[in-house]
Amino acid sequence: MADCAMTPNCLFFNDKMAHMPSTAEMMKRKYCRGDYSNCARFIVLEALGKEGVPADLAPNETEMAKQLLQADRLPGR
Ligand code: SF4
């Protein structure tokens, strides 16, 4: 599988997050160089654009990604 197209600009991939998970290298292998369509950052980016991706969102935080997408769909937003 090809690498995620976001790798050049992704805070996580480029180790720019304030609190990198200790499992960062493992996550890069799993998501960035593999199943990026299931990465929480990728999911939010696709749905809300890069402004919608919290700086500290880790690839495995898919529950948080779902909540962000649901919150975006609330009336009044
Ligand atoms: S898979 Fe996720 S964390 Fe990795 S480069 Fe793509 S958006 Fe960033």
Side-chain angles (χ1 to χ4, degrees):
M1 191 176 214
D3 288 358
C4 174
M6 307 303 170
T7 54
N9 300 315
C10 180
L11 293 180
F12 176 82
F13 190 79
N14 294 290
D15 301 333
K16 296 283 181 351
M17 282 169 51
H19 302 289
M20 286 294 285
S22 57
T23 51
E25 289 306 320
M26 196 191 81
M27 284 195 218
K28 285 182 192 177
R29 273 199 302 278
K30 178 175 178 181
Y31 295 101
C32 312
R33 300 195 183 286
D35 192 11
Y36 57 83
S37 62
N38 280 321
C39 165
R41 296 186 69 86
F42 187 85
I43 291 167
V44 176
L45 186 91
E46 285 242 297
L48 306 180
K50 75 176 185 201
E51 296 76 22
V53 183
D56 61 349
L57 185 68
N60 64 340
E61 292 182 315
T62 48
E63 275 307 311
M64 176 64 75
K66 281 183 205 158
Q67 287 174 22
L68 288 165
L69 268 50
Q70 277 172 3
D72 188 65
R73 290 193 202 106
L74 292 175
R77 289 211 48 177

